[in-house]
Amino acid sequence: MFGRTLIFVLLCLFCSFILAPLSWMLATTLRFPLESFRIPPSLLPTSFNLDSYRLVFEKVDFFAFVQNSIKIAVCCTALHVVCSSMAAFAFARLDFPGKKWIFFLFLSALMIPSQVMNIPRFIIMSKIRLVDTHAALILPSLFGAMGIFLIRQFMMTIPKSYDEAAHIDGAGRFYCYLHIIMPMTKPALIVIALQTFIANWNDFYNPLIYLNSVSKMTLPLGLTALQSTLDTGNQSAILAGILLSLIAPLLFFLIGQRYLIEGIQIGGIK
């Protein structure tokens, strides 16, 4: 009994530590700008002023930034899941010469920092005239060594008797991949989709390199544009923009949470 009480208290303290900054951000967005610098900061709203949220949409084209981020994040997620799952299926279910060496070559990409590839990638994008386009951010997300590795490891736990039964019934490789293996790999696909979506939604570095036009900027760049228009005197409006940017990844996480937990449970059982 004492142990459970102690664990409960520790979990409450941990949750308070996590939620305190979010509570302060929400309370600050509802205050007047001059009250946002009050020390000590208050975790609860002292007033209910919505002008900060109004300024977010007046100072910058916030909806355009959101649309650009959704477009890039959704395209990157969909293409990454499809391409990575097809590559993982080949490594997990097919036999071809040099399969292990090619797979190790893919895994070696995990040891290379992504920043090292930015200069040659930018040169390639400039040669094919994709700089200042969303394609420069979408195309590099087609393949990812981590996604291929995780999906392949999950597919390896599925017995090959499913493939053999499908082949006996006349099913081809692509039918087996699309209608048999993919539905069984749904938890792993959801995990990869969540990671890819959130990573591209929060990405600031790559859009900063490839995008020049304000109309094509993503939400992280748009928040810096909002900060520049407001200077640093209106902290409430800047935090309001940050809170609004959390809505899409939060909804995406809540939708895929059940599959995420299911994937963890199935992986643990297997």
Side-chain angles (χ1 to χ4, degrees):
M1 186 66 182
F2 176 75
R4 291 185 177 180
T5 304
L6 179 62
I7 293 175
F8 178 77
V9 172
L10 292 177
L11 289 176
C12 290
L13 292 175
F14 180 75
C15 292
S16 301
F17 179 77
I18 297 296
L19 294 177
L22 295 176
S23 176
W24 174 80
M25 288 175 60
L26 178 61
T28 303
T29 59
L30 299 176
R31 299 190 185 105
F32 293 97
L34 292 178
E35 297 179 358
S36 60
F37 295 97
R38 179 181 299 176
I39 297 177
S42 175
L43 298 180
L44 299 177
T46 55
S47 58
F48 292 91
N49 177 37
L50 299 178
D51 289 341
S52 299
Y53 294 93
R54 178 179 56 81
L55 286 174
V56 172
F57 297 96
E58 289 183 353
K59 293 295 184 179
V60 295
D61 195 353
F62 192 79
F63 283 118
F65 297 148
V66 172
Q67 290 176 358
N68 293 335
S69 291
I70 291 177
K71 172 187 173 182
I72 294 173
V74 170
C75 291
C76 289
T77 301
L79 293 175
H80 182 76
V81 169
V82 171
C83 295
S84 297
S85 62
M86 294 179 70
F89 178 82
F91 286 123
R93 321 301 289 186
L94 305 181
D95 293 324
F96 53 90
K99 182 176 72 171
K100 292 185 178 180
W101 292 106
I102 297 175
F103 182 68
F104 288 146
L105 184 62
F106 269 97
L107 291 184
S108 64
L110 295 174
M111 298 182 289
I112 303 175
S114 59
Q115 292 80 4
V116 176
M117 305 300 297
N118 281 326
I119 294 178
R121 187 180 298 167
F122 183 83
I123 294 174
I124 294 174
M125 293 300 173
S126 62
K127 293 292 185 181
I128 59 179
R129 298 182 179 181
L130 290 181
V131 176
D132 199 25
T133 64
H134 292 162
L137 302 175
I138 296 174
L139 291 179
S141 300
L142 289 177
F143 295 96
M146 180 58 69
I148 294 174
F149 173 74
L150 292 178
I151 299 174
R152 183 252 186 188
Q153 295 302 111
F154 194 93
M155 288 183 177
M156 292 288 289
T157 62
I158 301 174
K160 287 193 175 183
S161 56
Y162 291 99
D163 305 59
E164 297 171 355
H167 295 328
I168 292 174
D169 292 336
R173 295 291 186 184
F174 186 76
Y175 184 92
C176 182
Y177 156 78
L178 187 61
H179 296 282
I180 298 176
I181 303 301
M182 284 287 282
M184 300 177 69
T185 321
K186 184 185 294 185
L189 299 178
I190 295 296
V191 172
I192 298 301
L194 283 171
Q195 293 178 350
T196 306
F197 183 88
I198 294 176
N200 285 277
W201 182 270
N202 295 330
D203 189 14
F204 176 82
Y205 185 68
N206 289 314
L208 180 64
I209 294 176
Y210 294 106
L211 300 180
N212 301 322
S213 303
V214 178
S215 60
K216 298 178 182 178
M217 286 184 177
T218 58
L219 196 52
L221 291 181
L223 293 176
T224 60
L226 174 65
Q227 184 178 5
S228 63
T229 58
L230 297 172
D231 203 358
T232 57
N234 197 338
Q235 188 175 1
S236 301
I238 298 172
L239 292 177
I242 295 174
L243 280 180
L244 291 175
S245 68
L246 300 177
I247 296 176
L250 180 61
L251 291 176
F252 191 66
F253 174 78
L254 292 176
I255 293 173
Q257 183 181 14
R258 178 171 65 90
Y259 298 101
L260 179 63
I261 297 175
E262 180 183 351
I264 296 174
Q265 291 176 345
I266 293 176
I269 293 173
K270 289 184 178 180

